[in-house]
Amino acid sequence: MTDPGSTRSAIMALLAVGLGHHQAGRLAEAYDVYRRVLALSPGQTDALHLLGVVAYQLGQPRQSADLIRMAIARRGDNPDFYVNLGNALQALGDHLGAVNAFGRAAALESPLRAATLFNLGNALGKAGRSRDAIAALRQALVIAPGFAPAHRNLGLLLQGDGRLAEAEAELQRAVALVPEDPEARYALGLAQKERGQPEAAAASLRAALDLNPTHAAAHDALGSVFKELGRLEEAVVAYAAAGACDPDFAAAHYNLAGALQDLGRYQEALDGYRRCLDLDPANDSARHMVAALSGETTPTAPAAYVRDMFDGYAAGFERHLVNRLHYRAPELLRTAVDEVLGGVGSPPLPVTFPPGETEGLGEGTLPPTDAATKAPPFARVLDMGCGSGLVGAAFRDLAGVLDGVDLAPRMLDICRQRGIYDGLFEADVATYLGSAQGEGEPYDLLLAADLFIYIGDLSAVFAAASACCRPGGLFAFSVERLVDGEGSGEPAQAAANDYALRPSGRYAQSAAYVHRLAAAHGFAVAVATTATLRQAHCRPDLRAEKRAHLKTL
């Protein structure tokens, strides 16, 4: 008969051997020893837990979670068990499960440890509960003010929440505490970029790369900063370095292609977009640009392309558009509307589209009726593709109710901060107009500045606009003018004389096409003129998935 005391002694001795291997990093040996303990005593709690920890370290999170749960079932009052269960669940992508595990650990701990709150905060952030995550990390920093990773991850969460000044302050603290941490410097560079501090961002990103020259995401972010500064050749070098560090980094290939495109190196750009598409076949943005550079005209840009473009563009949108590109569409559209308002009820003015690489401003008005002769302000105005609200600001004084619709949620966030819209809607314009037709009052003024450069076939938009526009109302918009000979090649024969997808990725429409659509949908052209809406166009980057991530201990 086996002596229970000797068995316990053997188990304790084996656990000590296993721990020695474990602490020395000899994981395979530790794994074998812990299994020997369980062969002697299948329910031995410490062996179950430690074997689960080793399984996690060996890249087997499912087995880890199962083993640690077995340990918890036998002794559920040990906070370390819950911490390690949380780590395994995080690795499995079960962030809510990890939140519960870390939360249980925090409830059991006395005193409460900063590291547990740090892990809880990270899990909450990954579960989409940013406010609770921020609170947990702040509590961790009360316990351990010098805990640099908590400052870093708090900065990342604040940045994601749009609180950029607070984010930069936390990341500066993280860098000051651990200057040799490349992740903290990288995250600081991202925050500075979003705050409109490109030179400071470049310095932080270079410092991150000095510490880790193979940091692909830092190279990619530095390329974005150079692009914002107009230093396209340096952007190309940085993006190429990102792709060299991580050949499977699809966003870096996309961004490199965009910089090459801005430099007029179209074949190299096409190759880059194709490489991105090879790596990420679901990337609609890359597919759209392959079509644009291959001479193919599609009916419209994919919704994901427009959404991702402007969400990636949001932080520096107005700074880039107004200061660098001298964007004038809102003021020119307002001038056109004011001109029409001075002549409501009079015969349509002549329309001319002189030759040259300029962009056309179109102005359509439904034939007025006796019930629609009242002068502005307009009772209801819709800003289609409202972006950051530049057009809305130009027309706010003319509107009783001003609504905006856009595909990009980050742009709509900027509009909300401006506080000039009465209603904001995240939707495709044609879809929104279709719903507005059946649900609400018609609009007196429809605005579309720089919207139609993302839609080639305007027939659905014109039909929906006509249905949603009050008789006598106005439809004011801009288009890029299609010049003779564009869009005449395969495979775009049906659209050859109406619209074309240019190598820029933007659509252009012919004057004849716009006039034909206007007439078909009950609009009479009142004013059409030409103007330069911007000096140049640089494509914003694809927002890389390889941004700074929350780190666990």
Side-chain angles (χ1 to χ4, degrees), residues 245-327:
C245 291
D246 182 357
D248 295 332
F249 191 177
H253 292 286
Y254 182 95
N255 294 337
L256 173 59
L260 290 166
Q261 183 180 356
D262 290 339
L263 287 168
R265 294 159 62 178
Y266 292 139
Q267 185 56 53
E268 293 172 86
L270 179 58
D271 293 341
Y273 288 126
R274 283 175 171 157
R275 175 60 178 154
C276 174
L277 203 54
D278 288 341
L279 293 168
D280 181 11
N283 191 314
D284 286 338
S285 298
R287 182 170 289 103
H288 176 71
M289 294 313 305
V290 167
L293 290 170
S294 301
E296 178 183 353
T297 291
T298 54
T300 188
Y305 167 77
V306 178
R307 184 184 302 112
D308 292 346
M309 171 182 284
F310 283 98
D311 273 349
Y313 210 178
F317 178 74
E318 290 189 17
R319 182 173 64 252
H320 178 76
L321 198 62
V322 177
N323 296 341
R324 283 195 56 207
L325 304 187
H326 307 291
Y327 183 62

Side-chain angles (χ1 to χ4, degrees), residues 454-510:
Y454 304 108
I455 306 171
D457 184 350
L458 299 179
S459 56
V461 175
F462 265 74
S466 178
C468 290
C469 189
R470 190 185 304 278
L474 302 179
F475 183 17
F477 56 88
S478 66
V479 297
E480 285 197 9
R481 185 175 60 82
L482 183 67
V483 298
D484 292 342
E486 282 191 90
S488 57
E490 291 288 354
Q493 289 298 324
N497 298 317
D498 292 339
Y499 59 89
L501 177 59
R502 288 174 160 167
S504 62
R506 305 194 302 270
Y507 289 92
Q509 289 86 10
S510 71

